[in-house]
Amino acid sequence: MARDWGTAWVIGTSLLISFISFSSQIFVIWPWYGRVASVDLLRLLVPFNFCVFMVFWNYRLCVITPPGGVPTGWRPNLSSMEGLEVKKGNHAPRYCKTCEHYKPPRAHHCRQCKTCILKLDHHCPWIANCVGFHNQGHFIRFLLWVDIATSYHLLMMVKRVFSMSYTYHEEPTLSDILFLVFNFAACAPVWLCVGMFSMYHLYLACGNSTTIEGWEKDKVATLVRRGKIKEIKYPYNIGVLKNVQSVLGPNPLLWMWPQPMRGDGLSFPVNPDAGDPHVQYSWPPQDPTRLPNPRPIPNGTSPFVYGNEGFNPNLRPSNSQIRSRSGASRTPPNHTDHDGAMEGYSSTEEREYGSMSSGSRSSSPEIYLSDYDDHNEGPLLSGERLPRMRRGSEGWEVRPVTAGSWADLEGGSAVGGQRRPWEDEGRYNYYVPGE
């Protein structure tokens, strides 16, 4: 069924090219010149028919030329496993499970063709074939010749319209009007769409890239921007001239003439700035966070890293780090345990709430109450020894219950001669209802 649809696409494309090419000559240009062969007619139609011939020739080469498959038994150079492009699963050389063979650099599996294609660009339904290593040059030439032929065709049609407007004594026939409209309607969209498509593929050829590798470069740029991998240079960009020569041929005078691709498609020249020739086996780099078995983190490495083994400059030390640096905790006022030792709070608490003198008369709650969660008011519960908790920037911090804590303050107004903090005179304002 796929082959039948491919044949239908090829036949439809050939009919479209034939209609634009021959209906304009038979029903528009030939009547315009009085159906008589002349030098002016030949001067107009010979270049156009040459362009049409080149369109058909390159289109035929695109259809019948195999894009290139992986040779049977091909294996990468396993003597240097480090740096090879590997699978995400087991870190082995790139291997196609469907075709059951190794994949060379720049090769990808095509689901429509059900095989691996060397330097796969994309699968084109218009040619019922993949655009790969051996027919990429034919495909670009086909696009360029379509641009030239459609531009020439539109100029002929515009010239015919101007001639009709200037010759009032010769009224155009219904056939002239209809075929002019049909040719404009068929040729103008092809000229616009193929023109943009050819510009894009020329841009890719100048960078020695393919459509798939263009997507890969975008993904790699995203990984570098997010600091997941180190910046890596695209290895196949060897200069604009050499890039185009690798696709269209070494002689610029013959770039528009059909010629076979040079090379085997199994290895490619590499930009020296990107590294040695083995760097092509490491393209494209994978996201290390998505590997099932990522490389282990070296001992002593902090989890708070940014970019390539560096610290995020926007990170600030956590509260635990600040407390560890402060050495000893500060002593809050009016809070002494049974042994006379002062129970302190961290320097972070002091930074957040300010220092509190023993003579403070503020009516706002101090850190003993406000720094802890509302659902675990330890001092106000009786009969339970609940851990003290506080809500900070790092989440919830649980402190062990010690002797003399609020959980022990039960019953009387003081334990061991110490008054409850909320019973200190002047600490809080009390509301006394009227008698």
Side-chain angles (χ1 to χ4, degrees):
M1 181 62 68
R3 184 180 297 275
D4 295 339
W5 277 111
T7 303
W9 277 102
V10 172
I11 294 175
T13 304
S14 301
L15 291 176
L16 177 61
I17 299 174
S18 300
F19 175 80
I20 296 174
S21 303
F22 302 122
S23 66
S24 59
Q25 299 182 70
I26 297 173
F27 299 102
V28 178
I29 304 300
W30 179 249
W32 180 24
Y33 280 81
R35 294 182 173 85
V36 177
S38 63
V39 176
D40 292 337
L41 179 62
L42 295 176
R43 190 181 300 164
L44 178 67
L45 294 183
V46 168
F48 177 67
N49 283 278
F50 175 76
C51 294
V52 172
F53 171 75
M54 296 301 295
V55 168
F56 275 108
W57 190 2
N58 285 278
Y59 181 70
R60 173 181 172 273
L61 292 175
C62 290
V63 174
I64 68 174
T65 303
V70 181
T72 304
W74 181 88
R75 295 177 64 87
N77 182 14
L78 300 180
S79 61
S80 177
M81 285 293 296
E82 185 177 359
L84 287 178
E85 186 177 352
V86 297
K87 294 193 303 179
K88 297 180 180 180
N90 55 8
H91 296 230
R94 296 178 68 230
Y95 187 85
C96 180
K97 295 181 180 179
T98 304
C99 300
E100 297 182 349
H101 59 61
Y102 291 100
K103 290 194 294 185
R106 312 181 79 175
H108 299 275
H109 185 84
C110 176
R111 296 182 180 179
Q112 285 76 14
C113 297
K114 298 180 180 180
T115 185
C116 290
I117 304 299
L118 298 178
K119 195 186 176 182
L120 176 63
D121 187 278
H122 70 286
H123 182 88
C124 181
W126 299 95
I127 64 175
N129 197 4
C130 280
V131 178
F133 176 77
H134 289 291
N135 64 351
Q136 184 184 11
H138 302 322
F139 184 74
I140 294 179
R141 293 187 194 94
F142 166 68
L143 296 179
L144 295 178
W145 279 114
V146 169
D147 293 337
I148 296 173
T150 52
S151 300
Y152 199 105
H153 174 275
L154 291 175
L155 289 176
M156 290 194 306
M157 296 299 101
V158 170
K159 187 176 180 181
R160 175 55 175 151
V161 171
F162 282 146
S163 68
M164 292 169 57
S165 62
Y166 290 137
T167 55
Y168 300 102
H169 59 282
E170 295 180 3
E171 185 176 353
T173 63
L174 179 61
S175 176
D176 293 337
I177 299 298
L178 288 178
F179 277 97
L180 273 173
V181 173
F182 291 156
N183 274 270
F184 274 116
C187 186
V190 174
W191 179 73
L192 289 173
C193 297
V194 176
M196 292 186 292
F197 200 53
S198 61
M199 291 177 61
Y200 174 69
H201 276 272
L202 278 178
Y203 166 75
L204 293 177
C206 291
N208 199 2
S209 179
T210 62
T211 302
I212 295 178
E213 290 170 349
W215 300 337
E216 292 174 347
K217 289 192 289 186
D218 292 339
K219 293 180 180 179
V220 171
T222 302
L223 294 177
V224 173
R225 185 172 62 253
R226 294 179 178 177
K228 293 185 176 181
I229 62 173
K230 296 180 180 180
E231 186 172 0
I232 182 173
K233 191 176 185 63
Y234 180 66
Y236 304 112
N237 189 355
I238 54 178
V240 177
L241 180 60
K242 292 183 178 180
N243 292 338
V244 179
Q245 286 177 337
S246 65
V247 178
L248 299 180
N251 189 354
L253 299 178
L254 300 177
W255 280 352
M256 297 298 292
W257 190 258
Q259 51 188 302
M261 184 69 80
R262 291 168 172 80
D264 55 6
L266 301 176
S267 62
F268 302 89
V270 173
N271 188 336
D273 295 337
D276 57 18
H278 292 289
V279 74
Q280 60 186 305
Y281 293 100
S282 62
W283 180 269
Q286 303 292 343
D287 185 352
T289 61
R290 306 191 64 159
L291 292 174
N293 299 314
R295 63 183 180 89
I297 300 177
N299 295 331
T301 302
S302 172
F304 301 101
V305 295
Y306 177 80
N308 302 324
E309 308 295 338
F311 287 96
N312 188 338
N314 296 323
L315 287 178
R316 295 292 183 266
S318 63
N319 289 345
S320 59
Q321 290 176 332
I322 294 178
R323 285 192 295 270
S324 62
R325 293 175 185 174
S326 62
S329 59
R330 307 287 179 86
T331 302
N334 301 325
H335 195 172
T336 310
D337 58 13
H338 295 296
D339 299 331
M342 304 295 290
E343 183 181 4
Y345 56 89
S346 68
S347 60
T348 305
E349 296 168 352
E350 183 183 32
R351 183 189 66 226
E352 293 176 354
Y353 297 97
S355 59
M356 293 170 292
S357 62
S358 58
S360 175
R361 293 296 182 265
S362 173
S363 61
S364 62
E366 296 189 15
I367 63 169
Y368 297 104
L369 297 179
S370 62
D371 202 27
Y372 296 88
D373 62 293
D374 299 331
H375 304 286
N376 189 20
E377 295 286 347
L380 302 182
L381 296 177
S382 60
E384 299 181 4
R385 293 178 61 87
L386 298 179
R388 299 178 60 188
M389 303 176 66
R390 70 180 291 270
R391 185 188 298 111
S393 60
E394 295 178 308
W396 297 91
E397 178 181 335
V398 181
R399 296 187 181 182
V401 176
T402 58
S405 63
W406 290 348
D408 294 333
L409 299 179
E410 303 176 5
S413 61
V415 178
Q418 178 189 357
R419 296 176 56 84
R420 298 189 180 99
W422 55 85
E423 293 181 349
D424 290 346
E425 182 179 358
R427 180 179 293 272
Y428 302 109
N429 292 331
Y430 293 91
Y431 171 73
V432 181
E435 296 293 341

